[in-house]
Amino acid sequence: MPKQQLITYFDQFLALEEEEKNALVERTQERKIKRRQFVLQEGDVCRHYNFVVKGCLKMYSVDENGTEHNLQFAAENEWMTDLGSLFSEKPSMLYIEAVEPSLIVRIEKEDLKFFFVNYPKFDRNFRVMTENKYVELQSRLLQNISSSAQERYLQFLANYPHLSNRLPNTQIASYLGITPEFLSKIRKKIAGR
């Protein structure tokens, strides 16, 4: 049951009371996403958080040359949203797309506010999740400006061990800011150790 997986996720931070679990079930929506289907497109205002029950999502931008730049992946028991668009209510500059057929549970912004006001545990849980993601993004930014491509790839493997065999080279290379050909060279070098 997808919503039960979401409840289990929250229980690992602060165990939910029965009333909180019931509210979570009532105020979230399950959605099946086909491979390559968008959850958010550039120009749309983001209005929800997405919890991945099954599958994998990617968040990316596309530059003026049509090149895709992957910012983040989210697989089972991970979240994805465009926080900037969600809270500013301005059009997103990002896409969120399914890399694999996926099942997600969505929390709309208005329901999120309801949880924050009526059930303080959710406010704390989302704050901790956001803080953890911020720390992860700071670390990634520092890596991008101070690490070699091989070091970034090894860190990708450490951060996403469950995705390295599920994502095509093009997706991983885009995330690392290198070409797929260069990623192949790095993989061969690591395998030859």
Side-chain angles (χ1 to χ4, degrees):
M1 179 173 182
K3 292 185 181 185
Q4 182 56 50
Q5 190 170 328
L6 180 60
I7 290 167
T8 301
Y9 173 85
F10 280 119
D11 278 343
Q12 72 182 340
F13 296 106
L14 290 170
L16 300 179
E17 303 295 328
E18 203 60 39
E19 182 182 346
E20 294 164 324
K21 292 177 184 179
N22 291 336
L24 196 59
V25 168
E26 291 171 13
R27 291 184 167 264
T28 57
Q29 303 85 38
E30 295 175 17
R31 188 168 170 210
K32 289 184 179 182
I33 310 294
K34 296 177 184 173
R35 181 179 176 273
R36 302 197 78 182
Q37 183 178 346
F38 290 102
V39 175
L40 176 69
Q41 292 190 61
E42 180 182 29
D44 293 344
V45 174
C46 184
R47 304 200 183 280
H48 47 267
Y49 263 87
N50 302 292
F51 177 77
V52 180
V53 175
K54 181 181 178 198
C56 181
L57 304 178
K58 66 177 179 176
M59 181 186 301
Y60 64 97
S61 67
V62 177
D63 67 22
E64 62 276 354
N65 297 321
T67 303
E68 186 177 298
H69 301 280
N70 287 327
L71 304 175
Q72 181 184 349
F73 297 103
E76 291 79 12
N77 296 313
E78 295 177 330
W79 293 88
M80 185 169 282
T81 192
D82 178 351
L83 273 177
S85 176
L86 182 74
F87 289 112
S88 72
E89 298 185 359
K90 292 182 179 173
S92 179
M93 297 183 295
L94 303 170
Y95 295 87
I96 298 176
E97 180 183 339
V99 178
E100 303 172 341
S102 301
L103 177 60
I104 62 173
V105 177
R106 289 183 136 174
I107 300 178
E108 299 292 328
K109 182 179 179 182
E110 292 307 312
D111 291 314
L112 193 60
K113 289 179 184 176
F114 172 85
F115 286 123
F116 290 169
V117 169
N118 295 290
Y119 304 107
K121 282 181 193 173
F122 288 103
D123 185 53
R124 183 178 185 286
N125 285 345
F126 273 89
R127 184 172 45 81
V128 169
M129 288 168 23
T130 304
E131 289 169 354
N132 289 341
K133 188 54 71 176
Y134 184 77
V135 168
E136 179 185 317
L137 290 172
Q138 276 184 319
S139 176
R140 179 158 180 244
L141 179 60
L142 184 58
Q143 270 190 336
N144 283 347
I145 61 175
S146 65
S147 300
S148 70
Q150 181 172 322
E151 290 168 332
R152 292 194 311 270
Y153 176 63
L154 292 171
Q155 190 60 50
F156 171 84
L157 293 177
N159 290 346
Y160 295 108
H162 55 292
L163 291 182
S164 61
N165 293 325
R166 290 168 59 181
L167 296 171
N169 272 0
T170 54
Q171 299 297 317
I172 296 171
S174 171
Y175 178 83
L176 298 173
I178 60 177
T179 65
E181 296 78 18
F182 193 56
L183 176 58
S184 292
K185 288 179 184 177
I186 291 170
R187 283 182 159 173
K188 285 178 188 173
K189 182 179 177 183
I190 291 170
R193 284 185 179 175

